[in-house]
PDB file of all heavy atoms in Angstrom:
ATOM      1  N   GLY A 104       0.842  -1.175   0.021  1.00  0.00           N
ATOM      2  CA  GLY A 104       0.020  -0.020  -0.008  1.00  0.00           C
ATOM      3  C   GLY A 104       0.872   1.225   0.022  1.00  0.00           C
ATOM      4  O   GLY A 104       0.498   2.265  -0.687  1.00  0.00           O
ATOM      5  N   TYR A 105       1.995   1.237   0.838  1.00  0.00           N
ATOM      6  CA  TYR A 105       2.871   2.354   0.763  1.00  0.00           C
ATOM      7  C   TYR A 105       3.520   2.524  -0.593  1.00  0.00           C
ATOM      8  O   TYR A 105       3.621   3.762  -1.116  1.00  0.00           O
ATOM      9  CB  TYR A 105       3.921   2.077   1.776  1.00  0.00           C
ATOM     10  CG  TYR A 105       4.971   3.199   1.889  1.00  0.00           C
ATOM     11  CD1 TYR A 105       4.697   4.364   2.634  1.00  0.00           C
ATOM     12  CD2 TYR A 105       6.228   3.148   1.299  1.00  0.00           C
ATOM     13  CE1 TYR A 105       5.646   5.416   2.794  1.00  0.00           C
ATOM     14  CE2 TYR A 105       7.161   4.149   1.385  1.00  0.00           C
ATOM     15  CZ  TYR A 105       6.809   5.296   2.040  1.00  0.00           C
ATOM     16  OH  TYR A 105       7.791   6.322   2.134  1.00  0.00           O
ATOM     17  N   ALA A 106       3.904   1.498  -1.241  1.00  0.00           N
ATOM     18  CA  ALA A 106       4.561   1.543  -2.589  1.00  0.00           C
ATOM     19  C   ALA A 106       3.468   2.173  -3.617  1.00  0.00           C
ATOM     20  O   ALA A 106       3.846   3.022  -4.469  1.00  0.00           O
ATOM     21  CB  ALA A 106       5.075   0.283  -3.037  1.00  0.00           C
ATOM     22  N   LEU A 107       2.254   1.669  -3.521  1.00  0.00           N
ATOM     23  CA  LEU A 107       1.308   2.136  -4.525  1.00  0.00           C
ATOM     24  C   LEU A 107       0.684   3.508  -4.308  1.00  0.00           C
ATOM     25  O   LEU A 107       0.133   4.177  -5.190  1.00  0.00           O
ATOM     26  CB  LEU A 107       0.138   1.028  -4.562  1.00  0.00           C
ATOM     27  CG  LEU A 107       0.476  -0.281  -5.164  1.00  0.00           C
ATOM     28  CD1 LEU A 107      -0.678  -1.267  -4.857  1.00  0.00           C
ATOM     29  CD2 LEU A 107       0.826  -0.233  -6.605  1.00  0.00           C
ATOM     30  N   SER A 108       0.839   4.080  -3.039  1.00  0.00           N
ATOM     31  CA  SER A 108       0.244   5.372  -2.777  1.00  0.00           C
ATOM     32  C   SER A 108       1.329   6.402  -2.593  1.00  0.00           C
ATOM     33  O   SER A 108       0.961   7.496  -2.876  1.00  0.00           O
ATOM     34  CB  SER A 108      -0.538   5.202  -1.412  1.00  0.00           C
ATOM     35  OG  SER A 108       0.288   4.790  -0.348  1.00  0.00           O
ATOM     36  N   ILE A 109       2.468   6.055  -2.124  1.00  0.00           N
ATOM     37  CA  ILE A 109       3.489   7.124  -1.904  1.00  0.00           C
ATOM     38  C   ILE A 109       4.598   7.155  -2.882  1.00  0.00           C
ATOM     39  O   ILE A 109       4.904   8.249  -3.478  1.00  0.00           O
ATOM     40  CB  ILE A 109       4.094   6.901  -0.466  1.00  0.00           C
ATOM     41  CG1 ILE A 109       2.989   6.914   0.627  1.00  0.00           C
ATOM     42  CG2 ILE A 109       5.079   8.001  -0.114  1.00  0.00           C
ATOM     43  CD1 ILE A 109       2.197   8.160   0.634  1.00  0.00           C
ATOM     44  N   LEU A 110       5.205   5.994  -3.247  1.00  0.00           N
ATOM     45  CA  LEU A 110       6.267   5.954  -4.143  1.00  0.00           C
ATOM     46  C   LEU A 110       5.841   6.123  -5.549  1.00  0.00           C
ATOM     47  O   LEU A 110       4.684   5.899  -5.929  1.00  0.00           O
ATOM     48  CB  LEU A 110       7.001   4.569  -4.020  1.00  0.00           C
ATOM     49  CG  LEU A 110       7.589   4.237  -2.679  1.00  0.00           C
ATOM     50  CD1 LEU A 110       8.245   2.920  -2.598  1.00  0.00           C
ATOM     51  CD2 LEU A 110       8.492   5.408  -2.102  1.00  0.00           C
ATOM     52  N   LYS A 111       6.619   6.560  -6.441  1.00  0.00           N
ATOM     53  CA  LYS A 111       6.250   6.780  -7.814  1.00  0.00           C
ATOM     54  C   LYS A 111       7.254   5.838  -8.678  1.00  0.00           C
ATOM     55  O   LYS A 111       8.465   5.909  -8.545  1.00  0.00           O
ATOM     56  CB  LYS A 111       6.521   8.232  -8.206  1.00  0.00           C
ATOM     57  CG  LYS A 111       5.676   9.253  -7.346  1.00  0.00           C
ATOM     58  CD  LYS A 111       4.205   8.951  -7.529  1.00  0.00           C
ATOM     59  CE  LYS A 111       3.428   9.907  -6.670  1.00  0.00           C
ATOM     60  NZ  LYS A 111       1.993   9.655  -6.717  1.00  0.00           N
ATOM     61  N   PHE A 112       6.642   4.958  -9.543  1.00  0.00           N
ATOM     62  CA  PHE A 112       7.424   4.124 -10.407  1.00  0.00           C
ATOM     63  C   PHE A 112       6.572   3.827 -11.554  1.00  0.00           C
ATOM     64  O   PHE A 112       5.362   3.950 -11.658  1.00  0.00           O
ATOM     65  CB  PHE A 112       7.835   2.856  -9.668  1.00  0.00           C
ATOM     66  CG  PHE A 112       6.583   2.004  -9.111  1.00  0.00           C
ATOM     67  CD1 PHE A 112       5.967   1.105  -9.868  1.00  0.00           C
ATOM     68  CD2 PHE A 112       6.089   2.292  -7.857  1.00  0.00           C
ATOM     69  CE1 PHE A 112       4.940   0.379  -9.385  1.00  0.00           C
ATOM     70  CE2 PHE A 112       5.040   1.538  -7.307  1.00  0.00           C
ATOM     71  CZ  PHE A 112       4.472   0.553  -8.075  1.00  0.00           C
ATOM     72  N   ARG A 113       7.283   3.450 -12.696  1.00  0.00           N
ATOM     73  CA  ARG A 113       6.624   3.167 -13.940  1.00  0.00           C
ATOM     74  C   ARG A 113       5.702   1.907 -13.769  1.00  0.00           C
ATOM     75  O   ARG A 113       6.062   0.939 -13.218  1.00  0.00           O
ATOM     76  CB  ARG A 113       7.661   2.874 -14.931  1.00  0.00           C
ATOM     77  CG  ARG A 113       7.068   2.576 -16.416  1.00  0.00           C
ATOM     78  CD  ARG A 113       8.193   2.458 -17.427  1.00  0.00           C
ATOM     79  NE  ARG A 113       9.001   3.645 -17.582  1.00  0.00           N
ATOM     80  CZ  ARG A 113      10.026   3.811 -18.313  1.00  0.00           C
ATOM     81  NH1 ARG A 113      10.338   2.834 -19.130  1.00  0.00           N
ATOM     82  NH2 ARG A 113      10.686   4.935 -18.382  1.00  0.00           N
ATOM     83  N   GLY A 114       4.502   2.054 -14.268  1.00  0.00           N
ATOM     84  CA  GLY A 114       3.476   0.929 -14.262  1.00  0.00           C
ATOM     85  C   GLY A 114       2.781   0.920 -12.984  1.00  0.00           C
ATOM     86  O   GLY A 114       1.992  -0.122 -12.678  1.00  0.00           O
ATOM     87  N   GLN A 115       2.805   1.953 -12.137  1.00  0.00           N
ATOM     88  CA  GLN A 115       2.120   2.027 -10.909  1.00  0.00           C
ATOM     89  C   GLN A 115       0.585   1.807 -11.047  1.00  0.00           C
ATOM     90  O   GLN A 115      -0.003   1.043 -10.377  1.00  0.00           O
ATOM     91  CB  GLN A 115       2.527   3.202 -10.116  1.00  0.00           C
ATOM     92  CG  GLN A 115       1.914   3.322  -8.675  1.00  0.00           C
ATOM     93  CD  GLN A 115       2.460   4.593  -8.031  1.00  0.00           C
ATOM     94  OE1 GLN A 115       2.600   5.665  -8.601  1.00  0.00           O
ATOM     95  NE2 GLN A 115       2.556   4.528  -6.714  1.00  0.00           N
ATOM     96  N   GLY A 116       0.049   2.579 -11.891  1.00  0.00           N
ATOM     97  CA  GLY A 116      -1.388   2.529 -12.143  1.00  0.00           C
ATOM     98  C   GLY A 116      -1.809   1.189 -12.654  1.00  0.00           C
ATOM     99  O   GLY A 116      -2.935   0.659 -12.276  1.00  0.00           O
ATOM    100  N   ALA A 117      -1.025   0.588 -13.493  1.00  0.00           N
ATOM    101  CA  ALA A 117      -1.297  -0.699 -14.047  1.00  0.00           C
ATOM    102  C   ALA A 117      -1.321  -1.831 -12.921  1.00  0.00           C
ATOM    103  O   ALA A 117      -2.268  -2.695 -12.910  1.00  0.00           O
ATOM    104  CB  ALA A 117      -0.409  -1.115 -15.174  1.00  0.00           C
ATOM    105  N   VAL A 118      -0.400  -1.661 -12.117  1.00  0.00           N
ATOM    106  CA  VAL A 118      -0.265  -2.661 -10.943  1.00  0.00           C
ATOM    107  C   VAL A 118      -1.495  -2.520 -10.120  1.00  0.00           C
ATOM    108  O   VAL A 118      -2.193  -3.487  -9.656  1.00  0.00           O
ATOM    109  CB  VAL A 118       0.954  -2.450 -10.167  1.00  0.00           C
ATOM    110  CG1 VAL A 118       0.922  -3.297  -8.898  1.00  0.00           C
ATOM    111  CG2 VAL A 118       2.165  -2.834 -10.973  1.00  0.00           C
ATOM    112  N   TYR A 119      -1.963  -1.271  -9.789  1.00  0.00           N
ATOM    113  CA  TYR A 119      -3.031  -0.988  -8.909  1.00  0.00           C
ATOM    114  C   TYR A 119      -4.356  -1.553  -9.622  1.00  0.00           C
ATOM    115  O   TYR A 119      -5.204  -2.139  -8.934  1.00  0.00           O
ATOM    116  CB  TYR A 119      -3.115   0.456  -8.570  1.00  0.00           C
ATOM    117  CG  TYR A 119      -4.254   0.779  -7.582  1.00  0.00           C
ATOM    118  CD1 TYR A 119      -4.168   0.461  -6.280  1.00  0.00           C
ATOM    119  CD2 TYR A 119      -5.395   1.503  -8.000  1.00  0.00           C
ATOM    120  CE1 TYR A 119      -5.208   0.703  -5.355  1.00  0.00           C
ATOM    121  CE2 TYR A 119      -6.419   1.841  -7.114  1.00  0.00           C
ATOM    122  CZ  TYR A 119      -6.166   1.455  -5.789  1.00  0.00           C
ATOM    123  OH  TYR A 119      -7.239   1.780  -4.860  1.00  0.00           O
ATOM    124  N   ASN A 120      -4.526  -1.209 -10.850  1.00  0.00           N
ATOM    125  CA  ASN A 120      -5.716  -1.671 -11.541  1.00  0.00           C
ATOM    126  C   ASN A 120      -5.657  -3.194 -11.670  1.00  0.00           C
ATOM    127  O   ASN A 120      -6.799  -3.811 -11.593  1.00  0.00           O
ATOM    128  CB  ASN A 120      -5.733  -1.100 -12.982  1.00  0.00           C
ATOM    129  CG  ASN A 120      -5.959   0.394 -12.957  1.00  0.00           C
ATOM    130  OD1 ASN A 120      -6.627   0.894 -12.078  1.00  0.00           O
ATOM    131  ND2 ASN A 120      -5.496   1.127 -14.000  1.00  0.00           N
ATOM    132  N   PHE A 121      -4.577  -3.874 -11.812  1.00  0.00           N
ATOM    133  CA  PHE A 121      -4.556  -5.293 -11.835  1.00  0.00           C
ATOM    134  C   PHE A 121      -5.033  -5.871 -10.452  1.00  0.00           C
ATOM    135  O   PHE A 121      -5.746  -6.907 -10.457  1.00  0.00           O
ATOM    136  CB  PHE A 121      -3.162  -5.826 -12.145  1.00  0.00           C
ATOM    137  CG  PHE A 121      -2.967  -7.319 -12.148  1.00  0.00           C
ATOM    138  CD1 PHE A 121      -3.464  -8.008 -13.188  1.00  0.00           C
ATOM    139  CD2 PHE A 121      -2.403  -7.941 -11.133  1.00  0.00           C
ATOM    140  CE1 PHE A 121      -3.375  -9.401 -13.183  1.00  0.00           C
ATOM    141  CE2 PHE A 121      -2.285  -9.370 -11.144  1.00  0.00           C
ATOM    142  CZ  PHE A 121      -2.729 -10.087 -12.169  1.00  0.00           C
ATOM    143  N   ILE A 122      -4.613  -5.208  -9.355  1.00  0.00           N
ATOM    144  CA  ILE A 122      -5.011  -5.707  -8.066  1.00  0.00           C
ATOM    145  C   ILE A 122      -6.535  -5.560  -7.951  1.00  0.00           C
ATOM    146  O   ILE A 122      -7.249  -6.420  -7.386  1.00  0.00           O
ATOM    147  CB  ILE A 122      -4.341  -4.999  -6.981  1.00  0.00           C
ATOM    148  CG1 ILE A 122      -2.807  -5.317  -6.970  1.00  0.00           C
ATOM    149  CG2 ILE A 122      -4.988  -5.117  -5.599  1.00  0.00           C
ATOM    150  CD1 ILE A 122      -2.025  -4.498  -5.946  1.00  0.00           C
ATOM    151  N   LEU A 123      -7.098  -4.454  -8.341  1.00  0.00           N
ATOM    152  CA  LEU A 123      -8.582  -4.204  -8.325  1.00  0.00           C
ATOM    153  C   LEU A 123      -9.264  -5.311  -9.156  1.00  0.00           C
ATOM    154  O   LEU A 123     -10.390  -5.818  -8.849  1.00  0.00           O
ATOM    155  CB  LEU A 123      -8.799  -2.836  -8.734  1.00  0.00           C
ATOM    156  CG  LEU A 123      -8.458  -1.680  -7.904  1.00  0.00           C
ATOM    157  CD1 LEU A 123      -8.832  -0.345  -8.503  1.00  0.00           C
ATOM    158  CD2 LEU A 123      -9.019  -1.823  -6.503  1.00  0.00           C
ATOM    159  N   PHE A 124      -8.705  -5.587 -10.307  1.00  0.00           N
ATOM    160  CA  PHE A 124      -9.287  -6.555 -11.245  1.00  0.00           C
ATOM    161  C   PHE A 124      -9.362  -7.935 -10.635  1.00  0.00           C
ATOM    162  O   PHE A 124     -10.249  -8.618 -10.775  1.00  0.00           O
ATOM    163  CB  PHE A 124      -8.551  -6.469 -12.574  1.00  0.00           C
ATOM    164  CG  PHE A 124      -9.020  -7.528 -13.517  1.00  0.00           C
ATOM    165  CD1 PHE A 124     -10.185  -7.421 -14.279  1.00  0.00           C
ATOM    166  CD2 PHE A 124      -8.218  -8.671 -13.840  1.00  0.00           C
ATOM    167  CE1 PHE A 124     -10.600  -8.249 -15.150  1.00  0.00           C
ATOM    168  CE2 PHE A 124      -8.668  -9.678 -14.703  1.00  0.00           C
ATOM    169  CZ  PHE A 124      -9.939  -9.462 -15.408  1.00  0.00           C
ATOM    170  N   GLN A 125      -8.159  -8.241  -9.883  1.00  0.00           N
ATOM    171  CA  GLN A 125      -8.254  -9.628  -9.262  1.00  0.00           C
ATOM    172  C   GLN A 125      -9.189  -9.759  -8.206  1.00  0.00           C
ATOM    173  O   GLN A 125      -9.543 -10.877  -7.880  1.00  0.00           O
ATOM    174  CB  GLN A 125      -6.672  -9.787  -8.744  1.00  0.00           C
ATOM    175  CG  GLN A 125      -5.776 -10.045  -9.883  1.00  0.00           C
ATOM    176  CD  GLN A 125      -5.945 -11.410 -10.538  1.00  0.00           C
ATOM    177  OE1 GLN A 125      -6.395 -11.561 -11.559  1.00  0.00           O
ATOM    178  NE2 GLN A 125      -5.435 -12.526  -9.852  1.00  0.00           N
ATOM    179  N   MET A 126      -9.545  -8.692  -7.473  1.00  0.00           N
ATOM    180  CA  MET A 126     -10.469  -8.707  -6.407  1.00  0.00           C
ATOM    181  C   MET A 126     -11.856  -9.161  -6.837  1.00  0.00           C
ATOM    182  O   MET A 126     -12.688  -9.641  -6.048  1.00  0.00           O
ATOM    183  CB  MET A 126     -10.633  -7.426  -5.791  1.00  0.00           C
ATOM    184  CG  MET A 126      -9.308  -6.987  -4.989  1.00  0.00           C
ATOM    185  SD  MET A 126      -9.499  -5.310  -4.304  1.00  0.00           S
ATOM    186  CE  MET A 126     -10.768  -5.543  -3.088  1.00  0.00           C
ATOM    187  N   PHE A 127     -12.180  -9.090  -8.179  1.00  0.00           N
ATOM    188  CA  PHE A 127     -13.437  -9.443  -8.704  1.00  0.00           C
ATOM    189  C   PHE A 127     -13.540 -10.999  -8.904  1.00  0.00           C
ATOM    190  O   PHE A 127     -14.680 -11.563  -9.131  1.00  0.00           O
ATOM    191  CB  PHE A 127     -13.791  -8.774 -10.015  1.00  0.00           C
ATOM    192  CG  PHE A 127     -14.121  -7.338  -9.775  1.00  0.00           C
ATOM    193  CD1 PHE A 127     -13.121  -6.319  -9.934  1.00  0.00           C
ATOM    194  CD2 PHE A 127     -15.359  -6.953  -9.405  1.00  0.00           C
ATOM    195  CE1 PHE A 127     -13.472  -4.963  -9.781  1.00  0.00           C
ATOM    196  CE2 PHE A 127     -15.710  -5.576  -9.186  1.00  0.00           C
ATOM    197  CZ  PHE A 127     -14.780  -4.629  -9.438  1.00  0.00           C
ATOM    198  N   TYR A 128     -12.458 -11.680  -8.973  1.00  0.00           N
ATOM    199  CA  TYR A 128     -12.360 -13.068  -9.151  1.00  0.00           C
ATOM    200  C   TYR A 128     -12.710 -13.844  -7.850  1.00  0.00           C
ATOM    201  O   TYR A 128     -12.048 -13.611  -6.805  1.00  0.00           O
ATOM    202  CB  TYR A 128     -11.020 -13.563  -9.714  1.00  0.00           C
ATOM    203  CG  TYR A 128     -10.982 -13.480 -11.224  1.00  0.00           C
ATOM    204  CD1 TYR A 128     -10.545 -12.304 -11.799  1.00  0.00           C
ATOM    205  CD2 TYR A 128     -11.181 -14.584 -11.997  1.00  0.00           C
ATOM    206  CE1 TYR A 128     -10.338 -12.209 -13.156  1.00  0.00           C
ATOM    207  CE2 TYR A 128     -11.130 -14.527 -13.377  1.00  0.00           C
ATOM    208  CZ  TYR A 128     -10.682 -13.287 -13.993  1.00  0.00           C
ATOM    209  OH  TYR A 128     -10.573 -13.217 -15.326  1.00  0.00           O
ATOM    210  N   PRO A 129     -13.637 -14.792  -7.864  1.00  0.00           N
ATOM    211  CA  PRO A 129     -13.809 -15.623  -6.704  1.00  0.00           C
ATOM    212  C   PRO A 129     -12.601 -16.592  -6.450  1.00  0.00           C
ATOM    213  O   PRO A 129     -12.053 -17.088  -7.432  1.00  0.00           O
ATOM    214  CB  PRO A 129     -15.019 -16.537  -7.027  1.00  0.00           C
ATOM    215  CG  PRO A 129     -15.188 -16.451  -8.501  1.00  0.00           C
ATOM    216  CD  PRO A 129     -14.588 -15.140  -8.961  1.00  0.00           C
ATOM    217  N   SER A 130     -12.172 -16.700  -5.225  1.00  0.00           N
ATOM    218  CA  SER A 130     -10.936 -17.446  -4.912  1.00  0.00           C
ATOM    219  C   SER A 130     -11.059 -18.906  -5.352  1.00  0.00           C
ATOM    220  O   SER A 130      -9.983 -19.541  -5.579  1.00  0.00           O
ATOM    221  CB  SER A 130     -10.649 -17.323  -3.427  1.00  0.00           C
ATOM    222  OG  SER A 130     -11.673 -17.880  -2.682  1.00  0.00           O
ATOM    223  N   ILE A 131     -12.256 -19.458  -5.466  1.00  0.00           N
ATOM    224  CA  ILE A 131     -12.405 -20.878  -5.677  1.00  0.00           C
ATOM    225  C   ILE A 131     -11.873 -21.174  -7.120  1.00  0.00           C
ATOM    226  O   ILE A 131     -11.517 -22.385  -7.442  1.00  0.00           O
ATOM    227  CB  ILE A 131     -13.896 -21.236  -5.702  1.00  0.00           C
ATOM    228  CG1 ILE A 131     -14.069 -22.738  -5.738  1.00  0.00           C
ATOM    229  CG2 ILE A 131     -14.759 -20.589  -6.838  1.00  0.00           C
ATOM    230  CD1 ILE A 131     -13.540 -23.459  -4.565  1.00  0.00           C
ATOM    231  N   ILE A 132     -11.801 -20.122  -7.979  1.00  0.00           N
ATOM    232  CA  ILE A 132     -11.347 -20.359  -9.386  1.00  0.00           C
ATOM    233  C   ILE A 132      -9.857 -20.787  -9.381  1.00  0.00           C
ATOM    234  O   ILE A 132      -9.430 -21.563 -10.205  1.00  0.00           O
ATOM    235  CB  ILE A 132     -11.508 -19.067 -10.271  1.00  0.00           C
ATOM    236  CG1 ILE A 132     -13.061 -18.825 -10.484  1.00  0.00           C
ATOM    237  CG2 ILE A 132     -10.778 -19.168 -11.609  1.00  0.00           C
ATOM    238  CD1 ILE A 132     -13.354 -17.605 -11.258  1.00  0.00           C
ATOM    239  N   LEU A 133      -9.047 -20.248  -8.504  1.00  0.00           N
ATOM    240  CA  LEU A 133      -7.663 -20.450  -8.395  1.00  0.00           C
ATOM    241  C   LEU A 133      -7.301 -21.630  -7.459  1.00  0.00           C
ATOM    242  O   LEU A 133      -6.134 -21.789  -7.110  1.00  0.00           O
ATOM    243  CB  LEU A 133      -6.911 -19.202  -7.916  1.00  0.00           C
ATOM    244  CG  LEU A 133      -7.160 -17.995  -8.816  1.00  0.00           C
ATOM    245  CD1 LEU A 133      -6.421 -16.798  -8.172  1.00  0.00           C
ATOM    246  CD2 LEU A 133      -6.674 -18.250 -10.193  1.00  0.00           C
ATOM    247  N   LEU A 134      -8.275 -22.407  -7.008  1.00  0.00           N
ATOM    248  CA  LEU A 134      -8.064 -23.433  -5.931  1.00  0.00           C
ATOM    249  C   LEU A 134      -7.128 -24.554  -6.548  1.00  0.00           C
ATOM    250  O   LEU A 134      -6.087 -24.863  -5.947  1.00  0.00           O
ATOM    251  CB  LEU A 134      -9.342 -24.052  -5.506  1.00  0.00           C
ATOM    252  CG  LEU A 134      -9.278 -25.117  -4.395  1.00  0.00           C
ATOM    253  CD1 LEU A 134      -8.673 -24.484  -3.196  1.00  0.00           C
ATOM    254  CD2 LEU A 134     -10.622 -25.699  -4.100  1.00  0.00           C
ATOM    255  N   VAL A 135      -7.558 -25.034  -7.738  1.00  0.00           N
ATOM    256  CA  VAL A 135      -6.693 -26.171  -8.351  1.00  0.00           C
ATOM    257  C   VAL A 135      -5.440 -25.673  -8.824  1.00  0.00           C
ATOM    258  O   VAL A 135      -4.400 -26.323  -8.561  1.00  0.00           O
ATOM    259  CB  VAL A 135      -7.578 -26.789  -9.538  1.00  0.00           C
ATOM    260  CG1 VAL A 135      -6.629 -27.778 -10.235  1.00  0.00           C
ATOM    261  CG2 VAL A 135      -8.797 -27.417  -9.078  1.00  0.00           C
ATOM    262  N   PRO A 136      -5.208 -24.602  -9.497  1.00  0.00           N
ATOM    263  CA  PRO A 136      -3.785 -24.071  -9.849  1.00  0.00           C
ATOM    264  C   PRO A 136      -2.942 -23.925  -8.649  1.00  0.00           C
ATOM    265  O   PRO A 136      -1.732 -24.257  -8.621  1.00  0.00           O
ATOM    266  CB  PRO A 136      -4.043 -22.866 -10.585  1.00  0.00           C
ATOM    267  CG  PRO A 136      -5.476 -22.981 -11.139  1.00  0.00           C
ATOM    268  CD  PRO A 136      -6.197 -23.712 -10.051  1.00  0.00           C
ATOM    269  N   THR A 137      -3.499 -23.364  -7.546  1.00  0.00           N
ATOM    270  CA  THR A 137      -2.678 -23.076  -6.379  1.00  0.00           C
ATOM    271  C   THR A 137      -2.242 -24.404  -5.823  1.00  0.00           C
ATOM    272  O   THR A 137      -1.101 -24.567  -5.286  1.00  0.00           O
ATOM    273  CB  THR A 137      -3.540 -22.310  -5.379  1.00  0.00           C
ATOM    274  OG1 THR A 137      -3.987 -21.100  -5.942  1.00  0.00           O
ATOM    275  CG2 THR A 137      -2.675 -21.993  -4.158  1.00  0.00           C
ATOM    276  N   PHE A 138      -3.199 -25.383  -5.757  1.00  0.00           N
ATOM    277  CA  PHE A 138      -2.821 -26.700  -5.202  1.00  0.00           C
ATOM    278  C   PHE A 138      -1.798 -27.379  -5.957  1.00  0.00           C
ATOM    279  O   PHE A 138      -0.799 -27.944  -5.465  1.00  0.00           O
ATOM    280  CB  PHE A 138      -4.105 -27.665  -5.145  1.00  0.00           C
ATOM    281  CG  PHE A 138      -3.809 -28.994  -4.782  1.00  0.00           C
ATOM    282  CD1 PHE A 138      -3.527 -29.418  -3.495  1.00  0.00           C
ATOM    283  CD2 PHE A 138      -3.830 -29.991  -5.757  1.00  0.00           C
ATOM    284  CE1 PHE A 138      -3.339 -30.670  -3.149  1.00  0.00           C
ATOM    285  CE2 PHE A 138      -3.466 -31.318  -5.389  1.00  0.00           C
ATOM    286  CZ  PHE A 138      -3.186 -31.624  -4.089  1.00  0.00           C
ATOM    287  N   LEU A 139      -1.884 -27.294  -7.250  1.00  0.00           N
ATOM    288  CA  LEU A 139      -0.785 -27.883  -8.104  1.00  0.00           C
ATOM    289  C   LEU A 139       0.605 -27.181  -7.970  1.00  0.00           C
ATOM    290  O   LEU A 139       1.565 -27.925  -7.930  1.00  0.00           O
ATOM    291  CB  LEU A 139      -1.190 -27.754  -9.647  1.00  0.00           C
ATOM    292  CG  LEU A 139      -2.487 -28.671 -10.004  1.00  0.00           C
ATOM    293  CD1 LEU A 139      -2.808 -28.317 -11.458  1.00  0.00           C
ATOM    294  CD2 LEU A 139      -2.173 -30.104  -9.682  1.00  0.00           C
ATOM    295  N   ILE A 140       0.564 -25.937  -7.766  1.00  0.00           N
ATOM    296  CA  ILE A 140       1.881 -25.221  -7.383  1.00  0.00           C
ATOM    297  C   ILE A 140       2.464 -25.701  -6.052  1.00  0.00           C
ATOM    298  O   ILE A 140       3.592 -25.949  -5.940  1.00  0.00           O
ATOM    299  CB  ILE A 140       1.581 -23.642  -7.483  1.00  0.00           C
ATOM    300  CG1 ILE A 140       1.245 -23.177  -8.892  1.00  0.00           C
ATOM    301  CG2 ILE A 140       2.824 -22.915  -6.920  1.00  0.00           C
ATOM    302  CD1 ILE A 140       0.848 -21.736  -8.922  1.00  0.00           C
ATOM    303  N   ILE A 141       1.553 -25.757  -5.095  1.00  0.00           N
ATOM    304  CA  ILE A 141       1.975 -26.176  -3.849  1.00  0.00           C
ATOM    305  C   ILE A 141       2.549 -27.624  -3.848  1.00  0.00           C
ATOM    306  O   ILE A 141       3.643 -27.880  -3.228  1.00  0.00           O
ATOM    307  CB  ILE A 141       0.832 -26.173  -2.805  1.00  0.00           C
ATOM    308  CG1 ILE A 141       0.466 -24.709  -2.434  1.00  0.00           C
ATOM    309  CG2 ILE A 141       1.146 -26.890  -1.497  1.00  0.00           C
ATOM    310  CD1 ILE A 141       1.482 -23.908  -1.671  1.00  0.00           C
ATOM    311  N   ARG A 142       1.943 -28.474  -4.589  1.00  0.00           N
ATOM    312  CA  ARG A 142       2.448 -29.825  -4.699  1.00  0.00           C
ATOM    313  C   ARG A 142       3.828 -29.852  -5.515  1.00  0.00           C
ATOM    314  O   ARG A 142       4.705 -30.622  -5.217  1.00  0.00           O
ATOM    315  CB  ARG A 142       1.425 -30.744  -5.404  1.00  0.00           C
ATOM    316  CG  ARG A 142       1.717 -32.233  -5.353  1.00  0.00           C
ATOM    317  CD  ARG A 142       0.655 -33.163  -5.937  1.00  0.00           C
ATOM    318  NE  ARG A 142       0.519 -32.868  -7.355  1.00  0.00           N
ATOM    319  CZ  ARG A 142      -0.313 -33.534  -8.187  1.00  0.00           C
ATOM    320  NH1 ARG A 142      -0.986 -34.537  -7.645  1.00  0.00           N
ATOM    321  NH2 ARG A 142      -0.297 -33.277  -9.478  1.00  0.00           N
ATOM    322  N   TYR A 143       3.915 -29.104  -6.548  1.00  0.00           N
ATOM    323  CA  TYR A 143       5.102 -29.038  -7.363  1.00  0.00           C
ATOM    324  C   TYR A 143       6.312 -28.489  -6.508  1.00  0.00           C
ATOM    325  O   TYR A 143       7.429 -28.926  -6.721  1.00  0.00           O
ATOM    326  CB  TYR A 143       4.911 -28.062  -8.582  1.00  0.00           C
ATOM    327  CG  TYR A 143       6.154 -27.870  -9.420  1.00  0.00           C
ATOM    328  CD1 TYR A 143       6.563 -28.874 -10.372  1.00  0.00           C
ATOM    329  CD2 TYR A 143       6.917 -26.741  -9.303  1.00  0.00           C
ATOM    330  CE1 TYR A 143       7.729 -28.652 -11.104  1.00  0.00           C
ATOM    331  CE2 TYR A 143       8.010 -26.532 -10.042  1.00  0.00           C
ATOM    332  CZ  TYR A 143       8.397 -27.440 -10.934  1.00  0.00           C
ATOM    333  OH  TYR A 143       9.550 -27.310 -11.702  1.00  0.00           O
ATOM    334  N   LEU A 144       5.981 -27.535  -5.616  1.00  0.00           N
ATOM    335  CA  LEU A 144       7.036 -27.063  -4.747  1.00  0.00           C
ATOM    336  C   LEU A 144       7.442 -27.898  -3.601  1.00  0.00           C
ATOM    337  O   LEU A 144       8.341 -27.595  -2.805  1.00  0.00           O
ATOM    338  CB  LEU A 144       6.645 -25.591  -4.223  1.00  0.00           C
ATOM    339  CG  LEU A 144       6.506 -24.563  -5.233  1.00  0.00           C
ATOM    340  CD1 LEU A 144       5.981 -23.220  -4.598  1.00  0.00           C
ATOM    341  CD2 LEU A 144       7.899 -24.250  -6.011  1.00  0.00           C
ATOM    342  N   GLY A 145       6.721 -29.049  -3.397  1.00  0.00           N
ATOM    343  CA  GLY A 145       6.962 -29.938  -2.368  1.00  0.00           C
ATOM    344  C   GLY A 145       6.524 -29.541  -0.994  1.00  0.00           C
ATOM    345  O   GLY A 145       7.004 -29.897   0.061  1.00  0.00           O
TER     346      GLY A 145
END
């Protein structure tokens, strides 16, 4: 939050918009991919 509100860097708006966009997705959609990543990492 400090980086996105106080610091200035290239692509700051795109990162913030991406975070807002991700908030609209129900977490259940990412359940299987997250599980596969966890299993792949041991």
Side-chain angles (χ1 to χ4, degrees):
Y105 179 83
L107 292 171
S108 59
I109 304 300
L110 303 181
K111 303 299 179 183
F112 57 90
R113 181 176 297 179
Q115 184 178 31
V118 173
Y119 184 69
N120 290 333
F121 178 76
I122 290 175
L123 294 180
F124 177 73
Q125 288 290 101
M126 291 175 64
F127 288 96
Y128 272 89
S130 58
I131 192 67
I132 293 178
L133 301 177
L134 183 66
V135 174
T137 305
F138 172 77
L139 294 177
I140 292 173
I141 289 296
R142 192 177 64 174
Y143 176 78
L144 294 176

